[in-house]
């Protein structure tokens, strides 16, 4: 089983993976500074980073020595079977649209541009069946994701999830917003059938536990809360019905600790 299919990363949306860049001197650095790991996605942070670098390499081909220029443009594309793609920190609307379509085409067919944004944060949310999507903007990527989910629920009803969000600013030194004072998350697991569920961004522990159990119960028949955390990242790593969980201030550490816990519990994959 491929790694990204057996690792389920669940993180507080206000905690993101480290930004991977060495300096602000070239195009790649300017492009990658807009990268934030999607904590709600089942794709690992490393794989998301790899895909982001590929897009940046496409957009920065022949531009590594170019002087620093404003890059405030981003875009979203959506296609069949829930395929989606985004771009950020692009130097023109056309470049943003091309990058979003290229990214979307990696995951499905018939990708079309659905929106673009400039000097703000944007997010896309799709319906539970993967057939519909809505986008929205906001002052932070968390607020943009909240707005996109609300728009999706209003237009299509049911459960909506935001998988992609990011920010594009002409001023690359815009400081990130501070964390919320309280932001609870939880992970639930059903050992009987290897199913899991999670919650994030809740105002109290009890609400986080209820949401995680409800999410898990949609697929599993004997769900229990395995981990509860506040202003941290949580991770669950499983080998069939064997699982390990952990929480830490960053996703990478949480994932490493969860992997070790899974191995201690008898997991081999």
């Amino acid at each position: 089983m491929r790694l990204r299919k057996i690792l389920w990363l669940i993180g507080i949306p206000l905690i993101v993976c480290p930004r991977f860049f060495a300096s602000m001197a070239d195009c790649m650095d300017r492009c990658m500074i807009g990268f934030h790991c999607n904590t709600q996605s089942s794709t690992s942070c490393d794989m998301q980073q790899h895909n982001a670098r590929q897009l940046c390499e496409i957009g920065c081909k022949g531009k590594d020595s170019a002087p620093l220029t404003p890059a405030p443009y981003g875009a979203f594309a959506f296609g069949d079977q829930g395929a989606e793609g985004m771009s950020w920190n692009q130097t023109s609307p056309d470049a943003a649209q091309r990058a979003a379509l290229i990214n979307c085409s990696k995951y499905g067919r018939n990708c079309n541009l659905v929106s673009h944004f400039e000097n703000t944060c944007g997010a896309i949310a799709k319906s539970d069946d993967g057939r519909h999507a809505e986008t929205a903007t906001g002052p932070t990527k968390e607020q943009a994701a909240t707005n996109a989910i609300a728009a999706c629920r209003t237009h299509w009803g049911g459960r909506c999830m935001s998988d992609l969000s990011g920010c594009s600013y002409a001023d690359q030194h815009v400081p990130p917003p501070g964390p919320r004072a309280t932001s609870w998350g939880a992970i639930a697991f059903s050992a009987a059938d290897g199913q899991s569920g999670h919650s994030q961004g809740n105002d109290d522990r009890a609400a986080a536990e209820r949401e995680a159990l409800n999410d898990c119960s949609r697929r599993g028949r004997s769900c229990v809360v395995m981990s509860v955390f506040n202003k941290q990242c949580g991770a669950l790593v499983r080998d069939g019905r064997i699982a390990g969980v952990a929480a830490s201030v960053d996703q990478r550490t949480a994932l490493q600790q969860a992997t070790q816990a899974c191995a201690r519990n008898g997991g081999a994959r």
Side-chain angles (χ1 to χ4, degrees):
M1 186 180 295
R2 297 184 63 183
L3 180 62
R4 68 177 183 175
K5 290 185 179 179
I6 65 173
L7 301 185
W8 289 56
L9 300 185
I10 302 100
I12 292 299
L14 291 177
I15 306 296
V16 296
C17 289
R19 294 174 177 176
F20 297 87
F21 60 96
S23 72
M24 293 294 294
D26 58 29
C27 179
M28 280 294 295
D29 291 335
R30 298 196 302 275
C31 181
M32 285 302 294
I33 196 174
F35 169 74
H36 292 80
C37 192
N38 276 313
T39 57
Q40 295 183 1
S41 174
S42 60
T43 304
S44 71
C45 185
D46 287 343
M47 181 60 69
Q48 292 180 49
Q49 180 202 354
H50 172 73
N51 292 339
R53 282 196 175 277
Q54 285 187 320
L55 279 178
C56 287
E57 288 173 358
I58 293 171
C60 291
K61 188 174 181 180
K63 298 180 181 179
D64 288 342
S65 299
L68 184 64
T69 56
Y73 301 101
F76 291 98
F78 188 71
D80 293 345
Q81 287 82 49
E84 54 189 357
M86 75 168 293
S87 63
W88 60 91
N89 279 19
Q90 297 295 310
T91 56
S92 71
D94 287 344
Q97 294 170 19
R98 286 196 302 271
L101 287 169
I102 290 172
N103 196 17
C104 179
S105 65
K106 295 179 180 180
Y107 304 101
R109 298 180 178 180
N110 299 323
C111 291
N112 295 291
L113 183 73
V114 291
S115 72
H116 63 274
F117 56 98
E118 177 184 356
N119 271 320
T120 189
C121 300
I124 185 170
K126 60 184 178 182
S127 57
D128 199 33
D129 60 9
R131 298 175 59 188
H132 309 288
E134 295 290 335
T135 61
T137 58
T140 67
K141 67 186 189 69
E142 291 79 24
Q143 186 59 56
T146 298
N147 295 343
I149 291 172
C152 177
R153 288 173 176 169
T154 298
H155 287 92
W156 307 109
R159 187 166 179 250
C160 295
M161 293 287 291
S162 178
D163 294 325
L164 293 177
S165 62
C167 303
S168 289
Y169 289 102
D171 180 3
Q172 301 286 2
H173 299 284
V174 174
R180 289 174 53 194
T182 303
S183 189
W184 287 93
I187 298 173
F189 183 66
S190 172
D193 38 38
Q195 299 298 319
S196 64
H198 75 279
S199 64
Q200 56 190 22
N202 286 276
D203 292 328
D204 59 74
R205 180 186 182 118
E209 293 180 348
R210 284 196 303 270
E211 184 178 342
L213 285 171
N214 289 337
D215 187 32
C216 178
S217 296
R218 293 186 178 97
R219 300 170 294 276
R221 62 178 183 270
S222 58
C223 298
V224 296
V225 175
M226 300 284 288
S227 178
V228 184
F229 40 92
N230 179 31
K231 292 195 297 182
Q232 288 183 306
C233 290
L236 182 146
V237 176
R238 66 182 178 90
D239 178 3
R241 299 181 180 182
I242 299 173
V245 296
S248 181
V249 293
D250 66 87
Q251 278 188 318
R252 190 177 299 276
T253 301
L255 174 58
Q256 291 173 345
Q257 293 176 352
T259 303
Q260 293 168 359
C262 181
R264 288 194 301 268
N265 293 335
R269 295 180 297 168

